[in-house]
Amino acid sequence: GAVVSQHPSWVICKSGTSVKIECRSLDFQATTMFWYRQFPKQSLMLMATSNEGSKATYEQGVEKDKFLINHASLTLSTLTVTSAHPEDSSFYICSTNTGSIETQYFGPGTRLLVL
Amino acid sequence: QKEVEQNSGPLSVPEGAIASLNCTYSDRVSQSFFWYRQYSGKSPELIMSIYSNGDKEDGRFTAQLNKASQYVSLLIRDSQPSDSATYLCAVKTSYDKVIFGPGTSLSVIP
């Protein structure tokens, strides 16, 4: 399967600061990456679909100005949580699929804690 | 109606028994179905994918799909304590998104 990395794995920040999370595909070129958020004891909720070289597609209810997504290369997508608040504390996970294969491969996730 | 539904559990089975996990979905046109396992604090890992009606076996795991009933299940034979995790059912919908169910927590008792 595909190898996907995320950085950082953990981040603690103060309320009002911005946090950038990187998602990298290590062994293939990913034209599409997906960003999910998972609150404790809940399932994964798709936030947005990141497309290389174009604007991301956000799910209903997700603020595009708060969760900035950049997919400038075929191996890197970034999610920036701007002006983070405690309610943004969550587990953020990126994933991708290897082109025609529909299976999604997940990164290890980034746990964000906003104080 | 939620798009993908699962019993939240927890489901407890003794070691060596068969664990049966169920999932229903609402988009009748869905064609691709997945089971993921997620350990606490970790990201999901793919167990199986299934696309056609019937059974698909991989080692101790068997996925079953019934599109007419909009139902997909996962059987785990000879359950081991290491199988204790949350199992997520995922469905690729007709609008090309993968939607996850809420997950079923499985506990295998030694």
Side-chain angles (χ1 to χ4, degrees), chain A residues 34-92:
Chain A
F34 305 92
W35 287 96
Y36 290 86
R37 178 169 55 183
Q38 186 178 36
F39 293 107
K41 298 192 183 301
Q42 296 188 24
S43 190
L44 280 75
M45 298 300 296
L46 180 64
M47 299 176 65
T49 302
S50 168
N51 303 295
E52 188 268 336
S54 64
K55 292 183 179 180
T57 304
Y58 290 81
E59 294 301 301
Q60 190 175 9
V62 178
E63 300 174 57
K64 63 179 181 180
D65 294 330
K66 180 171 180 63
F67 299 99
L68 301 179
I69 291 173
N70 183 283
H71 194 157
S73 79
L74 288 171
T75 58
L76 175 64
S77 175
T78 61
L79 168 68
T80 301
V81 183
T82 62
S83 186
H85 288 96
E87 58 265 30
D88 298 323
S89 300
S90 188
F91 191 40
Y92 292 86

Side-chain angles (χ1 to χ4, degrees), chain A residues 6 34 36 38 41-44 46 49 57-59 91 93 97 101-109 111, chain B residues 6 31-32 34 36 38 40-46 49 51 88 92 95-103:
Chain A
Q6 278 185 247
F34 305 92
Y36 290 86
Q38 186 178 36
K41 298 192 183 301
Q42 296 188 24
S43 190
L44 280 75
L46 180 64
T49 302
T57 304
Y58 290 81
E59 294 301 301
F91 191 40
I93 313 173
N97 52 21
I101 299 174
E102 297 178 323
T103 304
Q104 291 202 42
Y105 296 95
F106 287 89
R111 197 163 298 280
Chain B
Q6 297 178 252
Q31 296 294 322
S32 306
F34 311 91
Y36 287 85
Q38 186 177 27
S40 180
K42 303 293 184 181
S43 65
E45 55 181 329
L46 179 70
S49 58
Y51 306 98
L88 301 169
K92 187 172 183 180
Y95 44 94
D96 230 25
K97 296 176 184 175
V98 176
I99 305 297
F100 286 81

Side-chain angles (χ1 to χ4, degrees), chain B residues 5-54:
Chain B
E5 298 197 56
Q6 297 178 252
N7 291 330
S8 61
L11 172 66
S12 294
V13 300
E15 184 174 355
I18 295 175
S20 177
L21 305 163
N22 304 315
C23 172
T24 58
Y25 59 95
S26 60
D27 187 343
R28 187 171 291 277
V29 186
S30 296
Q31 296 294 322
S32 306
F33 308 88
F34 311 91
W35 282 101
Y36 287 85
R37 176 174 61 196
Q38 186 177 27
Y39 292 110
S40 180
K42 303 293 184 181
S43 65
E45 55 181 329
L46 179 70
I47 298 176
M48 293 188 70
S49 58
I50 186 167
Y51 306 98
S52 304
N53 280 329

